[in-house]
Amino acid sequence: MSELLLDTAEELRKLPRGGLRAVVMTMGALHEGHATLIRSARELAGPEGQVVVTVFVNPLQFGANEDLDRYPRTLDADLAIAEGAGADAVFAPAAGEVYPGGDPQVRISAGPMGGRLEGATRPGHFDGMLTVVAKLLHLTRPDVAFFGQKDAQQLALIRRMVTDLNFPVEVVGVPTVREEDGLALSSRNRYLSPTERRTALALSRALFAGQDRLAAQAALRARAEASPASDERATALARLGEIRASADAHAVSAAGAGLPDAVRAAARHVLEEAGRYEPPLVLDYLALVDPQDFTDVGPEFTGQAVLAVAAKVGATRLIDNIPLEFGAHT
Protein backbone atom coordinates (compact mmCIF):
# COMPACT_ATOMS: atom_id res chain seq x y z
CA MET A 1 0.00 0.00 0.00
CA SER A 2 1.21 3.50 -0.78
CA GLU A 3 3.12 5.50 1.81
CA LEU A 4 0.70 8.35 1.10
CA LEU A 5 -2.20 6.52 2.73
CA LEU A 6 -3.56 7.62 6.11
CA ASP A 7 -6.40 5.57 7.61
CA THR A 8 -7.14 7.30 10.89
CA ALA A 9 -7.71 10.74 12.29
CA GLU A 10 -4.78 10.13 14.65
CA GLU A 11 -2.43 9.53 11.71
CA LEU A 12 -3.74 12.69 10.10
CA ARG A 13 -3.13 14.71 13.26
CA LYS A 14 0.46 13.47 13.39
CA LEU A 15 1.14 14.44 9.77
CA PRO A 16 3.83 17.14 9.90
CA ARG A 17 2.85 20.34 8.15
CA GLY A 18 4.93 23.10 6.69
CA GLY A 19 3.85 26.03 4.62
CA LEU A 20 0.34 26.23 3.20
CA ARG A 21 -1.88 23.13 3.45
CA ALA A 22 -4.38 22.56 0.63
CA VAL A 23 -7.08 19.89 0.70
CA VAL A 24 -8.96 18.24 -2.17
CA MET A 25 -12.05 16.33 -1.02
CA THR A 26 -13.23 13.40 -3.12
CA MET A 27 -15.39 10.28 -2.93
CA GLY A 28 -12.73 8.29 -4.74
CA ALA A 29 -12.92 6.76 -8.23
CA LEU A 30 -10.49 9.51 -9.22
CA HIS A 31 -10.25 10.70 -12.82
CA GLU A 32 -8.61 13.56 -14.71
CA GLY A 33 -11.04 16.06 -13.17
CA HIS A 34 -9.80 15.15 -9.70
CA ALA A 35 -6.21 15.16 -10.94
CA THR A 36 -6.73 18.71 -12.18
CA LEU A 37 -7.95 19.73 -8.72
CA ILE A 38 -4.89 18.14 -7.11
CA ARG A 39 -2.51 19.80 -9.57
CA SER A 40 -4.19 23.16 -8.89
CA ALA A 41 -3.73 22.60 -5.16
CA ARG A 42 -0.10 21.60 -5.69
CA GLU A 43 0.58 24.75 -7.70
CA LEU A 44 -0.88 26.99 -5.03
CA ALA A 45 0.77 25.17 -2.12
CA GLY A 46 4.17 25.25 -3.80
CA PRO A 47 7.14 23.06 -2.94
CA GLU A 48 7.08 24.09 0.72
CA GLY A 49 3.36 23.48 1.15
CA GLN A 50 1.30 20.34 1.50
CA VAL A 51 -1.56 18.78 -0.46
CA VAL A 52 -3.93 16.38 1.30
CA VAL A 53 -6.52 14.43 -0.69
CA THR A 54 -9.48 12.87 1.12
CA VAL A 55 -11.20 9.75 -0.22
CA PHE A 56 -14.46 9.00 1.55
CA VAL A 57 -17.78 7.74 0.17
CA ASN A 58 -20.11 9.64 2.48
CA PRO A 59 -23.26 7.64 3.30
CA LEU A 60 -25.09 10.72 4.60
CA GLN A 61 -25.45 12.24 1.13
CA PHE A 62 -26.99 9.18 -0.54
CA GLY A 63 -30.74 8.65 -0.53
CA ALA A 64 -32.51 5.34 0.05
CA ASN A 65 -32.79 4.55 -3.68
CA GLU A 66 -29.41 5.93 -4.79
CA ASP A 67 -26.18 4.18 -5.74
CA LEU A 68 -24.22 4.05 -2.46
CA ASP A 69 -23.59 0.29 -2.71
CA ARG A 70 -22.47 0.35 -6.33
CA TYR A 71 -20.52 3.62 -6.16
CA PRO A 72 -17.05 2.70 -7.48
CA ARG A 73 -14.33 2.16 -4.90
CA THR A 74 -10.87 2.05 -6.48
CA LEU A 75 -8.46 3.01 -3.71
CA ASP A 76 -5.29 1.56 -5.25
CA ALA A 77 -5.88 3.43 -8.51
CA ASP A 78 -6.87 6.55 -6.55
CA LEU A 79 -3.57 6.51 -4.66
CA ALA A 80 -1.63 6.27 -7.91
CA ILE A 81 -3.53 9.18 -9.49
CA ALA A 82 -3.21 11.32 -6.36
CA GLU A 83 0.53 10.69 -6.13
CA GLY A 84 1.03 11.37 -9.83
CA ALA A 85 -0.84 14.69 -9.55
CA GLY A 86 1.28 15.87 -6.62
CA ALA A 87 -0.52 14.86 -3.41
CA ASP A 88 1.53 14.50 -0.24
CA ALA A 89 -1.03 12.41 1.65
CA VAL A 90 -4.32 10.63 1.04
CA PHE A 91 -6.72 10.41 3.98
CA ALA A 92 -9.07 7.47 3.30
CA PRO A 93 -10.90 6.70 6.53
CA ALA A 94 -13.57 4.10 7.19
CA ALA A 95 -17.08 5.31 7.99
CA GLY A 96 -16.56 4.56 11.67
CA GLU A 97 -13.55 6.88 11.73
CA VAL A 98 -15.54 9.83 10.35
CA TYR A 99 -18.72 9.01 12.30
CA PRO A 100 -17.44 7.30 15.47
CA GLY A 101 -20.83 7.49 17.14
CA GLY A 102 -22.75 6.17 14.15
CA ASP A 103 -25.09 8.43 12.22
CA PRO A 104 -24.53 11.90 13.70
CA GLN A 105 -27.47 13.38 15.57
CA VAL A 106 -26.16 16.90 14.97
CA ARG A 107 -25.88 17.84 11.31
CA ILE A 108 -25.45 20.98 9.26
CA SER A 109 -28.54 22.30 7.49
CA ALA A 110 -28.09 23.53 3.93
CA GLY A 111 -30.93 26.05 4.39
CA PRO A 112 -33.20 27.29 1.58
CA MET A 113 -30.57 26.88 -1.17
CA GLY A 114 -30.22 23.24 -0.18
CA GLY A 115 -33.82 22.55 -1.13
CA ARG A 116 -33.52 23.80 -4.72
CA LEU A 117 -32.58 21.88 -7.89
CA GLU A 118 -30.39 19.00 -6.68
CA GLY A 119 -31.81 19.40 -3.19
CA ALA A 120 -35.39 19.12 -4.44
CA THR A 121 -34.56 15.91 -6.30
CA ARG A 122 -32.38 14.50 -3.51
CA PRO A 123 -33.86 15.58 -0.15
CA GLY A 124 -31.23 15.74 2.58
CA HIS A 125 -28.34 15.33 0.15
CA PHE A 126 -26.80 18.72 0.82
CA ASP A 127 -27.23 18.43 4.59
CA GLY A 128 -25.18 15.24 4.44
CA MET A 129 -22.63 16.79 2.10
CA LEU A 130 -22.08 19.87 4.25
CA THR A 131 -21.87 17.76 7.41
CA VAL A 132 -19.03 15.65 6.03
CA VAL A 133 -17.25 18.64 4.48
CA ALA A 134 -17.36 20.40 7.85
CA LYS A 135 -15.96 17.33 9.59
CA LEU A 136 -13.21 16.88 7.01
CA LEU A 137 -12.28 20.56 7.26
CA HIS A 138 -11.91 20.11 11.03
CA LEU A 139 -9.86 16.93 10.58
CA THR A 140 -7.56 18.16 7.81
CA ARG A 141 -7.24 21.78 9.05
CA PRO A 142 -6.39 23.25 5.62
CA ASP A 143 -5.63 26.82 4.68
CA VAL A 144 -7.38 26.38 1.33
CA ALA A 145 -9.82 23.81 -0.07
CA PHE A 146 -10.35 23.01 -3.76
CA PHE A 147 -13.67 21.91 -5.29
CA GLY A 148 -14.83 21.41 -8.86
CA GLN A 149 -17.25 23.81 -10.51
CA LYS A 150 -19.07 20.86 -12.09
CA ASP A 151 -20.94 20.51 -8.79
CA ALA A 152 -21.87 24.18 -8.86
CA GLN A 153 -24.61 24.06 -6.24
CA GLN A 154 -22.37 22.07 -3.89
CA LEU A 155 -19.60 24.65 -4.35
CA ALA A 156 -22.00 27.52 -3.66
CA LEU A 157 -23.25 25.86 -0.48
CA ILE A 158 -19.74 25.12 0.79
CA ARG A 159 -18.80 28.75 0.25
CA ARG A 160 -21.94 29.82 2.11
CA MET A 161 -21.21 27.48 5.01
CA VAL A 162 -17.60 28.67 5.27
CA THR A 163 -18.80 32.29 5.35
CA ASP A 164 -21.79 31.81 7.64
CA LEU A 165 -19.96 29.59 10.16
CA ASN A 166 -16.60 31.39 10.05
CA PHE A 167 -14.45 28.50 8.90
CA PRO A 168 -10.83 29.73 8.60
CA VAL A 169 -10.35 28.38 5.09
CA GLU A 170 -10.32 29.78 1.55
CA VAL A 171 -12.53 27.91 -0.95
CA VAL A 172 -11.28 27.72 -4.54
CA GLY A 173 -13.44 26.55 -7.44
CA VAL A 174 -11.77 24.84 -10.40
CA PRO A 175 -13.42 24.79 -13.87
CA THR A 176 -15.11 21.62 -15.11
CA VAL A 177 -12.90 19.18 -17.00
CA ARG A 178 -14.49 17.59 -20.08
CA GLU A 179 -13.71 14.63 -22.26
CA GLU A 180 -12.95 15.24 -25.93
CA ASP A 181 -16.61 14.77 -26.89
CA GLY A 182 -17.75 17.39 -24.35
CA LEU A 183 -19.08 15.08 -21.64
CA ALA A 184 -18.18 16.41 -18.20
CA LEU A 185 -15.86 14.03 -16.38
CA SER A 186 -17.67 12.08 -13.69
CA SER A 187 -17.10 8.89 -11.74
CA ARG A 188 -20.54 7.80 -12.92
CA ASN A 189 -19.61 7.99 -16.63
CA ARG A 190 -18.24 4.45 -16.34
CA TYR A 191 -21.78 3.18 -15.86
CA LEU A 192 -22.82 4.31 -19.35
CA SER A 193 -23.07 1.87 -22.24
CA PRO A 194 -21.91 3.15 -25.67
CA THR A 195 -25.50 3.99 -26.70
CA GLU A 196 -26.25 5.63 -23.35
CA ARG A 197 -23.12 7.71 -23.67
CA ARG A 198 -24.27 9.02 -27.06
CA THR A 199 -27.52 10.12 -25.45
CA ALA A 200 -25.69 11.64 -22.46
CA LEU A 201 -23.78 13.98 -24.76
CA ALA A 202 -27.01 15.97 -25.09
CA LEU A 203 -26.34 17.49 -21.66
CA SER A 204 -23.22 19.35 -22.74
CA ARG A 205 -24.68 20.09 -26.20
CA ALA A 206 -27.68 21.73 -24.54
CA LEU A 207 -25.47 23.90 -22.34
CA PHE A 208 -23.32 24.98 -25.28
CA ALA A 209 -26.45 25.68 -27.34
CA GLY A 210 -27.57 28.06 -24.60
CA GLN A 211 -24.12 29.62 -24.53
CA ASP A 212 -24.15 30.06 -28.31
CA ARG A 213 -27.60 31.68 -28.19
CA LEU A 214 -26.36 34.14 -25.57
CA ALA A 215 -23.32 35.00 -27.71
CA ALA A 216 -25.46 35.50 -30.81
CA GLN A 217 -27.99 37.69 -28.98
CA ALA A 218 -25.18 39.66 -27.36
CA ALA A 219 -23.66 40.32 -30.79
CA LEU A 220 -27.01 41.59 -32.06
CA ARG A 221 -27.34 43.79 -28.99
CA ALA A 222 -23.91 45.28 -29.66
CA ARG A 223 -25.04 46.14 -33.19
CA ALA A 224 -28.22 47.69 -31.86
CA GLU A 225 -26.23 49.85 -29.47
CA ALA A 226 -23.79 50.89 -32.20
CA SER A 227 -26.47 51.77 -34.77
CA PRO A 228 -29.97 51.60 -33.30
CA ALA A 229 -32.46 49.72 -35.44
CA SER A 230 -36.08 50.61 -34.69
CA ASP A 231 -39.22 48.69 -35.56
CA GLU A 232 -40.16 51.66 -37.76
CA ARG A 233 -37.02 51.19 -39.85
CA ALA A 234 -37.68 47.47 -40.19
CA THR A 235 -41.25 48.12 -41.34
CA ALA A 236 -40.04 50.69 -43.88
CA LEU A 237 -37.55 48.21 -45.28
CA ALA A 238 -40.31 45.64 -45.65
CA ARG A 239 -42.43 48.10 -47.67
CA LEU A 240 -39.47 48.58 -50.01
CA GLY A 241 -39.23 44.83 -50.56
CA GLU A 242 -36.05 44.47 -48.52
CA ILE A 243 -37.37 41.44 -46.64
CA ARG A 244 -33.98 40.06 -45.52
CA ALA A 245 -32.81 43.48 -44.32
CA SER A 246 -36.16 44.00 -42.62
CA ALA A 247 -35.89 40.70 -40.74
CA ASP A 248 -32.35 41.55 -39.69
CA ALA A 249 -33.44 44.96 -38.45
CA HIS A 250 -36.24 43.39 -36.42
CA ALA A 251 -33.74 40.94 -34.89
CA VAL A 252 -31.33 43.71 -33.95
CA SER A 253 -34.16 45.76 -32.48
CA ALA A 254 -35.30 42.86 -30.29
CA ALA A 255 -31.80 41.72 -29.30
CA GLY A 256 -31.94 43.08 -25.77
CA ALA A 257 -35.23 41.48 -24.78
CA GLY A 258 -35.55 38.26 -22.79
CA LEU A 259 -32.01 36.95 -23.11
CA PRO A 260 -32.34 34.44 -20.24
CA ASP A 261 -35.53 33.03 -21.77
CA ALA A 262 -33.80 32.67 -25.15
CA VAL A 263 -30.90 30.81 -23.53
CA ARG A 264 -33.25 28.44 -21.74
CA ALA A 265 -35.22 27.80 -24.93
CA ALA A 266 -32.10 26.96 -26.94
CA ALA A 267 -30.90 24.47 -24.33
CA ARG A 268 -34.34 22.92 -23.85
CA HIS A 269 -34.70 22.28 -27.59
CA VAL A 270 -31.61 20.03 -27.52
CA LEU A 271 -32.82 18.18 -24.43
CA GLU A 272 -36.31 17.62 -25.84
CA GLU A 273 -34.78 16.13 -28.97
CA ALA A 274 -32.65 13.81 -26.82
CA GLY A 275 -35.81 12.65 -25.08
CA ARG A 276 -36.67 10.88 -28.36
CA TYR A 277 -33.33 9.04 -28.58
CA GLU A 278 -32.92 5.35 -27.85
CA PRO A 279 -32.25 5.13 -25.00
CA PRO A 280 -33.96 8.42 -24.16
CA LEU A 281 -32.67 11.20 -21.98
CA VAL A 282 -35.06 11.69 -19.05
CA LEU A 283 -34.78 15.30 -17.95
CA ASP A 284 -34.82 16.11 -14.25
CA TYR A 285 -34.33 19.86 -14.53
CA LEU A 286 -32.92 22.61 -16.71
CA ALA A 287 -32.41 25.87 -14.86
CA LEU A 288 -30.74 29.23 -15.30
CA VAL A 289 -29.95 30.47 -11.82
CA ASP A 290 -28.18 33.11 -9.77
CA PRO A 291 -25.03 31.42 -8.37
CA GLN A 292 -25.46 33.21 -5.05
CA ASP A 293 -28.66 31.41 -4.06
CA PHE A 294 -29.65 29.18 -7.02
CA THR A 295 -32.95 30.94 -7.64
CA ASP A 296 -34.15 31.33 -11.25
CA VAL A 297 -33.07 34.52 -12.99
CA GLY A 298 -35.67 36.77 -14.62
CA PRO A 299 -35.85 38.03 -18.22
CA GLU A 300 -34.02 41.29 -17.40
CA PHE A 301 -31.24 39.69 -15.33
CA THR A 302 -27.68 40.97 -15.64
CA GLY A 303 -24.50 39.53 -14.18
CA GLN A 304 -23.18 36.00 -13.80
CA ALA A 305 -25.59 33.08 -13.95
CA VAL A 306 -25.30 29.29 -14.02
CA LEU A 307 -27.05 27.21 -16.67
CA ALA A 308 -27.52 23.83 -15.00
CA VAL A 309 -28.99 20.52 -16.12
CA ALA A 310 -29.62 17.11 -14.58
CA ALA A 311 -30.98 14.04 -16.34
CA LYS A 312 -31.04 10.27 -16.30
CA VAL A 313 -29.78 8.05 -19.08
CA GLY A 314 -30.68 4.47 -18.33
CA ALA A 315 -30.00 3.99 -14.63
CA THR A 316 -27.32 6.70 -14.48
CA ARG A 317 -28.06 10.21 -13.29
CA LEU A 318 -25.74 12.96 -14.56
CA ILE A 319 -25.38 16.69 -13.87
CA ASP A 320 -23.60 19.46 -15.73
CA ASN A 321 -23.48 23.25 -15.84
CA ILE A 322 -21.70 26.22 -17.38
CA PRO A 323 -21.31 29.79 -16.11
CA LEU A 324 -22.74 32.56 -18.31
CA GLU A 325 -22.36 36.31 -18.15
CA PHE A 326 -25.34 38.53 -19.01
CA GLY A 327 -24.31 42.07 -19.84
CA ALA A 328 -26.02 45.17 -18.51
CA HIS A 329 -28.93 46.57 -20.49
CA THR A 330 -28.44 50.04 -21.90
Side-chain angles (χ1 to χ4, degrees):
M1 192 61 72
S2 170
E3 295 180 359
L4 272 66
L5 181 62
L6 306 174
D7 294 311
T8 68
E10 181 63 24
E11 289 178 311
L12 186 60
R13 277 192 292 271
K14 291 180 179 178
L15 181 67
R17 62 186 298 164
L20 182 146
R21 177 180 282 183
V23 67
V24 176
M25 296 185 189
T26 81
M27 292 207 302
L30 301 190
H31 50 63
E32 180 57 25
H34 298 108
T36 298
L37 288 170
I38 298 168
R39 286 193 292 268
S40 298
R42 178 79 273 159
E43 182 177 0
L44 182 65
E48 302 301 321
Q50 188 177 65
V51 176
V52 177
V53 175
T54 68
V55 173
F56 180 64
V57 181
N58 177 33
L60 295 191
Q61 64 193 74
F62 287 80
N65 299 314
E66 294 185 337
D67 59 350
L68 173 61
D69 291 336
R70 73 171 187 141
Y71 195 87
R73 291 160 172 83
T74 57
L75 183 57
D76 288 343
D78 294 345
L79 289 167
I81 290 173
E83 184 172 18
D88 296 299
V90 174
F91 179 50
E97 190 70 26
V98 178
Y99 303 117
D103 282 355
Q105 295 185 32
V106 177
R107 307 187 186 197
I108 290 180
S109 169
M113 195 194 324
R116 298 174 186 135
L117 298 190
E118 284 296 291
T121 299
R122 307 174 67 189
H125 165 72
F126 285 125
D127 292 354
M129 179 275 294
L130 289 179
T131 298
V132 79
V133 168
K135 288 181 72 76
L136 290 172
L137 286 174
H138 287 313
L139 289 167
T140 58
R141 296 174 295 126
D143 300 293
V144 59
F146 286 76
F147 297 92
Q149 292 178 0
K150 175 177 163 290
D151 296 300
Q153 192 172 4
Q154 170 180 284
L155 176 58
L157 281 162
I158 291 170
R159 283 179 164 147
R160 186 72 194 221
M161 177 185 74
V162 163
T163 298
D164 287 354
L165 301 185
N166 298 104
F167 278 78
V169 62
E170 178 187 356
V171 176
V172 175
V174 177
T176 301
V177 178
R178 299 184 180 277
E179 301 192 41
E180 288 186 5
D181 57 11
L183 189 67
L185 282 172
S186 168
S187 302
R188 292 184 169 93
N189 289 354
R190 68 187 69 196
Y191 299 152
L192 298 169
S193 70
T195 55
E196 288 172 341
R197 185 184 176 90
R198 285 195 290 271
T199 296
L201 292 175
L203 272 73
S204 57
R205 284 205 309 272
L207 297 178
F208 295 135
Q211 184 181 60
D212 290 345
R213 176 64 63 86
L214 175 60
Q217 294 290 101
L220 284 172
R221 173 181 291 172
R223 285 179 56 194
E225 292 172 351
S227 55
S230 66
D231 286 337
E232 290 80 3
R233 177 173 178 269
T235 302
L237 285 167
R239 289 198 190 101
L240 292 171
E242 298 289 344
I243 303 302
R244 181 173 297 178
S246 172
D248 182 65
H250 272 300
V252 172
S253 179
L259 268 178
D261 291 339
V263 168
R264 290 187 186 97
R268 187 170 295 278
H269 176 75
V270 175
L271 297 169
E272 288 175 348
E273 184 179 83
R276 297 188 286 272
Y277 293 173
E278 184 54 48
L281 182 142
V282 181
L283 183 64
D284 184 349
Y285 62 75
L286 171 70
L288 185 62
V289 297
D290 185 328
Q292 298 303 311
D293 58 11
F294 271 67
T295 56
D296 288 329
V297 304
E300 302 303 315
F301 178 83
T302 61
Q304 189 174 80
V306 172
L307 182 61
V309 63
K312 263 193 163 185
V313 182
T316 304
R317 186 174 183 276
L318 300 170
I319 63 172
D320 201 353
N321 73 85
I322 55 172
L324 297 175
E325 186 74 29
F326 290 81
H329 291 208
T330 59

